[in-house]
Amino acid sequence: MAHIWPIGGGKGGSGKSFLASSMGRLLAKSGKKTLLIDLDLGAANLHTMVDVPYPEKCFSDFIARKVADLHDAVLPTPFPNLFLISGAHDSLDIANLPYEKKIKTLRAIAKLDYDYIVLDLGAGTAYNTLDFFLASRNGIFITTPEPTSIENVYRLMRAIYLRRIRHYFSANDFKALEKKVREHLGDDSFNKPENIVAVIRKEFPDKYALIRKDFSSFRFKLILNQLRKQDNTALGEQICKIIKKHLGIGVEFAGNIAYDEHVHDAICQRVCFLDRYPHTRAANDLRVLNRKMSNAFGEQLTLDYL
Amino acid sequence: MEKDFDQMNYYEILDIRPGATAVEIRSAYNAALQMYQPESLVSYSFFSREERKKILAQLEKAYSTLINEAQRIQYDHELNPRGIAGIIETDETAKKPVAIFDMNRQATNFAARKNHNAELKAKIAQSRIIADVIARQNIKGQDLKAIRNELGVTMEAIHQETKIRLDYLTYLEEDKIEKLPAAVFLKGFIRAYLKSLCIEPADDISTRYMNGLTPKN
Ligand SMILES: Nc1ncnc2c1ncn2[C@@H]1O[C@H](COP(=O)(O)OP(=O)(O)OP(=O)(O)O)[C@@H](O)[C@H]1O
Ligand SMILES: [Mg+2]
């Protein structure tokens, strides 16, 4: 089965698509058959980053049953071994993907025959985005060292945590839990999964044990993108420390990617940054990250809750 | 989450091992400040204003307590009446946050200490001098010193184990009580001293020691 890397982060150019295309390029170059899937429906632009300016087929063809098989929506790219399912032409927003279609998509992804599948998830915390992120235990968070971006990534992490916890309860039990949390901790406490988990720990110890076990098998990663010289290089580690201590989930800091003007230049020229500017700091960072992440996986697909 | 932040002990809050040195405590405190202070990018938006205030207050309390030797001894005792060694040996929860530090070192410490304690206990069981001192109603600094000498433990080793300053230990043994910090800490010192030598009942003996002090002290 393919290794699946979902990439999630905040809005406004944290670099999700840039990372997805770069990782895709590096994996393909190392001989791995790699598929990029642009799930940033409604704002898809991954095709542009891998030089497929006119995608002839796309994800919505599968949803609209214009193609029978997800595999039929796959496009080649100019790069050997690198393939794409584009999200262009999608009038559909990911948030509006109906439940059955989402399940169908996840099952179809699981059947695709690739070494690596990289999912560009777009910004936001729509349930569908969270479910795609949770489809693999190797979810990658990306943020820039700006408060706006960090705020977004924290929100995403909490939303993902909460979404996963939710699967352990029936609708009724979850309501009862919500009531308890509000009783214990006040009205606005329910947005914070750490509060909920604190109550689960007391009131449902066996569920708590299951949830802990579940989360300990995730291999979440964090990448800090667009680091400038004056930025704190330890920021990523510190964020992971906060997450561990206050949310109780393990996120491994995978590394920094330097800010580089050439990224903009390469995107404008619609050439691959890694090919055009291989000797920059940022290109080197990407290669190091790719090597590091290729050596560390959790379980690939978690369809158990579907 | 294994434990809520407000239930963490001071060592867990600062992410340090129970035996941490003053240098380690100070640098852990500075690192934590970098993460939690209001201007910090690291925790931006993560906490509400109230949560942050509470965390900073706890951090402050943790630091000011642990950095003060006398207060730390007192705190260690409240945390675990069996003394500093006890925290490492018995308290499961205290071990967890220590994980990011050198677990191996802790593990060897743990094994070595267990060995060391077993040896001490064997010696104590065979020593007439110690049995005699423990049975006494009135216990003084020179008695403590006699026990220590009988067991062949250096003052330096007790200092290492209890984190009580060397000069304080000297004053204790020489009965120069007036040079020591307030009496509330004194009892904790005595208890920690006895614990480090595996002398029991440490509580009772330290009480007898305190009772033996003249009122002006
Ligand atoms: N390491 C970098 N150095 C310099 N600029 C960068 C870097 N990474 C990304 N950028 C810039 O940020 C812009 C946004 O990147 P990207 O499109 O990958 O973000 P995104 O997270 O996919 O955004 P969206 O949520 O809009 O899809 C890029 O066009 C590029 O100019
Ligand atoms: Mg994008």
PDB file of all heavy atoms in Angstrom, chain B residues 162-180:
ATOM      1  N   THR B 162      21.021  15.336  48.990  1.00  0.00           N
ATOM      2  CA  THR B 162      19.938  16.143  49.585  1.00  0.00           C
ATOM      3  C   THR B 162      19.874  17.546  49.004  1.00  0.00           C
ATOM      4  O   THR B 162      18.875  18.224  49.177  1.00  0.00           O
ATOM      5  CB  THR B 162      20.149  16.306  51.102  1.00  0.00           C
ATOM      6  OG1 THR B 162      21.391  16.993  51.315  1.00  0.00           O
ATOM      7  CG2 THR B 162      20.154  14.962  51.798  1.00  0.00           C
ATOM      8  N   LYS B 163      20.959  17.973  48.321  1.00  0.00           N
ATOM      9  CA  LYS B 163      21.055  19.340  47.809  1.00  0.00           C
ATOM     10  C   LYS B 163      21.116  20.382  48.924  1.00  0.00           C
ATOM     11  O   LYS B 163      20.897  21.562  48.679  1.00  0.00           O
ATOM     12  CB  LYS B 163      19.907  19.690  46.857  1.00  0.00           C
ATOM     13  CG  LYS B 163      19.717  18.714  45.724  1.00  0.00           C
ATOM     14  CD  LYS B 163      20.858  18.805  44.731  1.00  0.00           C
ATOM     15  CE  LYS B 163      20.787  17.622  43.769  1.00  0.00           C
ATOM     16  NZ  LYS B 163      22.073  17.244  43.225  1.00  0.00           N
ATOM     17  N   ILE B 164      21.366  19.936  50.133  1.00  0.00           N
ATOM     18  CA  ILE B 164      21.560  20.908  51.223  1.00  0.00           C
ATOM     19  C   ILE B 164      22.992  21.442  51.123  1.00  0.00           C
ATOM     20  O   ILE B 164      23.935  20.669  50.905  1.00  0.00           O
ATOM     21  CB  ILE B 164      21.366  20.248  52.611  1.00  0.00           C
ATOM     22  CG1 ILE B 164      19.954  19.670  52.714  1.00  0.00           C
ATOM     23  CG2 ILE B 164      21.619  21.260  53.729  1.00  0.00           C
ATOM     24  CD1 ILE B 164      19.720  18.866  53.977  1.00  0.00           C
ATOM     25  N   ARG B 165      23.130  22.725  51.241  1.00  0.00           N
ATOM     26  CA  ARG B 165      24.456  23.328  51.093  1.00  0.00           C
ATOM     27  C   ARG B 165      25.460  22.716  52.062  1.00  0.00           C
ATOM     28  O   ARG B 165      25.130  22.390  53.206  1.00  0.00           O
ATOM     29  CB  ARG B 165      24.368  24.839  51.353  1.00  0.00           C
ATOM     30  CG  ARG B 165      23.979  25.617  50.117  1.00  0.00           C
ATOM     31  CD  ARG B 165      23.564  27.019  50.445  1.00  0.00           C
ATOM     32  NE  ARG B 165      24.490  27.732  51.318  1.00  0.00           N
ATOM     33  CZ  ARG B 165      24.328  29.012  51.648  1.00  0.00           C
ATOM     34  NH1 ARG B 165      23.285  29.687  51.179  1.00  0.00           N
ATOM     35  NH2 ARG B 165      25.184  29.600  52.438  1.00  0.00           N
ATOM     36  N   LEU B 166      26.698  22.612  51.603  1.00  0.00           N
ATOM     37  CA  LEU B 166      27.736  21.991  52.427  1.00  0.00           C
ATOM     38  C   LEU B 166      27.943  22.729  53.735  1.00  0.00           C
ATOM     39  O   LEU B 166      28.097  22.110  54.798  1.00  0.00           O
ATOM     40  CB  LEU B 166      29.058  21.956  51.642  1.00  0.00           C
ATOM     41  CG  LEU B 166      29.294  20.695  50.822  1.00  0.00           C
ATOM     42  CD1 LEU B 166      30.544  20.858  49.983  1.00  0.00           C
ATOM     43  CD2 LEU B 166      29.415  19.475  51.733  1.00  0.00           C
ATOM     44  N   ASP B 167      27.936  24.062  53.695  1.00  0.00           N
ATOM     45  CA  ASP B 167      28.187  24.797  54.938  1.00  0.00           C
ATOM     46  C   ASP B 167      27.039  24.556  55.936  1.00  0.00           C
ATOM     47  O   ASP B 167      27.272  24.440  57.134  1.00  0.00           O
ATOM     48  CB  ASP B 167      28.412  26.291  54.677  1.00  0.00           C
ATOM     49  CG  ASP B 167      27.323  26.911  53.828  1.00  0.00           C
ATOM     50  OD1 ASP B 167      26.581  26.159  53.165  1.00  0.00           O
ATOM     51  OD2 ASP B 167      27.206  28.145  53.823  1.00  0.00           O
ATOM     52  N   TYR B 168      25.820  24.408  55.418  1.00  0.00           N
ATOM     53  CA  TYR B 168      24.697  24.102  56.316  1.00  0.00           C
ATOM     54  C   TYR B 168      24.902  22.747  56.994  1.00  0.00           C
ATOM     55  O   TYR B 168      24.642  22.588  58.187  1.00  0.00           O
ATOM     56  CB  TYR B 168      23.371  24.080  55.551  1.00  0.00           C
ATOM     57  CG  TYR B 168      22.853  25.447  55.136  1.00  0.00           C
ATOM     58  CD1 TYR B 168      21.669  25.563  54.414  1.00  0.00           C
ATOM     59  CD2 TYR B 168      23.539  26.611  55.472  1.00  0.00           C
ATOM     60  CE1 TYR B 168      21.186  26.804  54.024  1.00  0.00           C
ATOM     61  CE2 TYR B 168      23.073  27.848  55.083  1.00  0.00           C
ATOM     62  CZ  TYR B 168      21.883  27.950  54.357  1.00  0.00           C
ATOM     63  OH  TYR B 168      21.419  29.161  53.965  1.00  0.00           O
ATOM     64  N   LEU B 169      25.369  21.801  56.193  1.00  0.00           N
ATOM     65  CA  LEU B 169      25.589  20.467  56.758  1.00  0.00           C
ATOM     66  C   LEU B 169      26.634  20.527  57.879  1.00  0.00           C
ATOM     67  O   LEU B 169      26.483  19.893  58.922  1.00  0.00           O
ATOM     68  CB  LEU B 169      26.032  19.491  55.661  1.00  0.00           C
ATOM     69  CG  LEU B 169      24.943  19.121  54.652  1.00  0.00           C
ATOM     70  CD1 LEU B 169      25.524  18.299  53.509  1.00  0.00           C
ATOM     71  CD2 LEU B 169      23.814  18.349  55.330  1.00  0.00           C
ATOM     72  N   THR B 170      27.670  21.311  57.628  1.00  0.00           N
ATOM     73  CA  THR B 170      28.707  21.457  58.647  1.00  0.00           C
ATOM     74  C   THR B 170      28.116  22.072  59.919  1.00  0.00           C
ATOM     75  O   THR B 170      28.359  21.577  61.027  1.00  0.00           O
ATOM     76  CB  THR B 170      29.840  22.364  58.125  1.00  0.00           C
ATOM     77  OG1 THR B 170      30.181  21.926  56.814  1.00  0.00           O
ATOM     78  CG2 THR B 170      31.051  22.291  59.015  1.00  0.00           C
ATOM     79  N   TYR B 171      27.346  23.119  59.762  1.00  0.00           N
ATOM     80  CA  TYR B 171      26.732  23.764  60.928  1.00  0.00           C
ATOM     81  C   TYR B 171      25.834  22.783  61.681  1.00  0.00           C
ATOM     82  O   TYR B 171      25.826  22.760  62.915  1.00  0.00           O
ATOM     83  CB  TYR B 171      25.894  24.986  60.510  1.00  0.00           C
ATOM     84  CG  TYR B 171      26.691  26.086  59.858  1.00  0.00           C
ATOM     85  CD1 TYR B 171      26.135  26.873  58.866  1.00  0.00           C
ATOM     86  CD2 TYR B 171      28.005  26.338  60.248  1.00  0.00           C
ATOM     87  CE1 TYR B 171      26.850  27.877  58.250  1.00  0.00           C
ATOM     88  CE2 TYR B 171      28.741  27.338  59.628  1.00  0.00           C
ATOM     89  CZ  TYR B 171      28.168  28.108  58.635  1.00  0.00           C
ATOM     90  OH  TYR B 171      28.882  29.090  58.033  1.00  0.00           O
ATOM     91  N   LEU B 172      25.107  21.990  60.912  1.00  0.00           N
ATOM     92  CA  LEU B 172      24.229  20.996  61.533  1.00  0.00           C
ATOM     93  C   LEU B 172      25.025  20.081  62.448  1.00  0.00           C
ATOM     94  O   LEU B 172      24.683  19.873  63.614  1.00  0.00           O
ATOM     95  CB  LEU B 172      23.580  20.121  60.457  1.00  0.00           C
ATOM     96  CG  LEU B 172      22.184  20.443  59.969  1.00  0.00           C
ATOM     97  CD1 LEU B 172      21.728  19.376  58.984  1.00  0.00           C
ATOM     98  CD2 LEU B 172      21.224  20.532  61.144  1.00  0.00           C
ATOM     99  N   GLU B 173      26.092  19.525  61.895  1.00  0.00           N
ATOM    100  CA  GLU B 173      26.866  18.547  62.646  1.00  0.00           C
ATOM    101  C   GLU B 173      27.595  19.193  63.814  1.00  0.00           C
ATOM    102  O   GLU B 173      27.877  18.549  64.815  1.00  0.00           O
ATOM    103  CB  GLU B 173      27.863  17.830  61.729  1.00  0.00           C
ATOM    104  CG  GLU B 173      27.157  16.944  60.709  1.00  0.00           C
ATOM    105  CD  GLU B 173      28.123  16.053  59.948  1.00  0.00           C
ATOM    106  OE1 GLU B 173      29.353  16.262  60.043  1.00  0.00           O
ATOM    107  OE2 GLU B 173      27.621  15.141  59.247  1.00  0.00           O
ATOM    108  N   GLU B 174      27.898  20.470  63.670  1.00  0.00           N
ATOM    109  CA  GLU B 174      28.628  21.158  64.745  1.00  0.00           C
ATOM    110  C   GLU B 174      27.677  21.853  65.710  1.00  0.00           C
ATOM    111  O   GLU B 174      28.107  22.618  66.561  1.00  0.00           O
ATOM    112  CB  GLU B 174      29.610  22.168  64.131  1.00  0.00           C
ATOM    113  CG  GLU B 174      30.725  21.466  63.376  1.00  0.00           C
ATOM    114  CD  GLU B 174      31.640  22.448  62.638  1.00  0.00           C
ATOM    115  OE1 GLU B 174      31.370  23.671  62.698  1.00  0.00           O
ATOM    116  OE2 GLU B 174      32.609  21.984  62.015  1.00  0.00           O
ATOM    117  N   ASP B 175      26.381  21.631  65.490  1.00  0.00           N
ATOM    118  CA  ASP B 175      25.358  22.241  66.348  1.00  0.00           C
ATOM    119  C   ASP B 175      25.404  23.759  66.342  1.00  0.00           C
ATOM    120  O   ASP B 175      25.090  24.408  67.333  1.00  0.00           O
ATOM    121  CB  ASP B 175      25.474  21.723  67.797  1.00  0.00           C
ATOM    122  CG  ASP B 175      24.891  20.318  67.895  1.00  0.00           C
ATOM    123  OD1 ASP B 175      23.811  20.086  67.308  1.00  0.00           O
ATOM    124  OD2 ASP B 175      25.526  19.459  68.538  1.00  0.00           O
ATOM    125  N   LYS B 176      25.838  24.353  65.242  1.00  0.00           N
ATOM    126  CA  LYS B 176      25.821  25.819  65.140  1.00  0.00           C
ATOM    127  C   LYS B 176      24.487  26.233  64.531  1.00  0.00           C
ATOM    128  O   LYS B 176      24.425  26.772  63.413  1.00  0.00           O
ATOM    129  CB  LYS B 176      26.989  26.301  64.281  1.00  0.00           C
ATOM    130  CG  LYS B 176      28.321  26.106  64.978  1.00  0.00           C
ATOM    131  CD  LYS B 176      29.448  26.707  64.158  1.00  0.00           C
ATOM    132  CE  LYS B 176      30.775  26.501  64.859  1.00  0.00           C
ATOM    133  NZ  LYS B 176      31.897  26.390  63.913  1.00  0.00           N
ATOM    134  N   ILE B 177      23.447  25.960  65.305  1.00  0.00           N
ATOM    135  CA  ILE B 177      22.084  26.154  64.818  1.00  0.00           C
ATOM    136  C   ILE B 177      21.804  27.601  64.421  1.00  0.00           C
ATOM    137  O   ILE B 177      21.065  27.886  63.487  1.00  0.00           O
ATOM    138  CB  ILE B 177      21.071  25.710  65.900  1.00  0.00           C
ATOM    139  CG1 ILE B 177      21.341  24.260  66.285  1.00  0.00           C
ATOM    140  CG2 ILE B 177      19.650  25.861  65.419  1.00  0.00           C
ATOM    141  CD1 ILE B 177      21.280  23.303  65.121  1.00  0.00           C
ATOM    142  N   GLU B 178      22.439  28.521  65.135  1.00  0.00           N
ATOM    143  CA  GLU B 178      22.160  29.942  64.872  1.00  0.00           C
ATOM    144  C   GLU B 178      22.548  30.350  63.450  1.00  0.00           C
ATOM    145  O   GLU B 178      22.050  31.334  62.928  1.00  0.00           O
ATOM    146  CB  GLU B 178      22.850  30.821  65.912  1.00  0.00           C
ATOM    147  CG  GLU B 178      24.386  30.810  65.904  1.00  0.00           C
ATOM    148  CD  GLU B 178      25.015  29.529  66.492  1.00  0.00           C
ATOM    149  OE1 GLU B 178      24.262  28.671  67.016  1.00  0.00           O
ATOM    150  OE2 GLU B 178      26.245  29.381  66.414  1.00  0.00           O
ATOM    151  N   LYS B 179      23.406  29.570  62.827  1.00  0.00           N
ATOM    152  CA  LYS B 179      23.829  29.917  61.461  1.00  0.00           C
ATOM    153  C   LYS B 179      22.912  29.336  60.393  1.00  0.00           C
ATOM    154  O   LYS B 179      23.090  29.579  59.198  1.00  0.00           O
ATOM    155  CB  LYS B 179      25.258  29.420  61.225  1.00  0.00           C
ATOM    156  CG  LYS B 179      26.256  29.999  62.187  1.00  0.00           C
ATOM    157  CD  LYS B 179      27.609  30.101  61.535  1.00  0.00           C
ATOM    158  CE  LYS B 179      28.520  30.923  62.422  1.00  0.00           C
ATOM    159  NZ  LYS B 179      29.895  30.919  62.006  1.00  0.00           N
ATOM    160  N   LEU B 180      21.972  28.535  60.825  1.00  0.00           N
ATOM    161  CA  LEU B 180      21.094  27.859  59.860  1.00  0.00           C
ATOM    162  C   LEU B 180      19.817  28.654  59.623  1.00  0.00           C
ATOM    163  O   LEU B 180      19.433  29.484  60.445  1.00  0.00           O
ATOM    164  CB  LEU B 180      20.731  26.466  60.393  1.00  0.00           C
ATOM    165  CG  LEU B 180      21.880  25.469  60.356  1.00  0.00           C
ATOM    166  CD1 LEU B 180      21.525  24.211  61.127  1.00  0.00           C
ATOM    167  CD2 LEU B 180      22.249  25.130  58.928  1.00  0.00           C
TER     168      LEU B 180
END
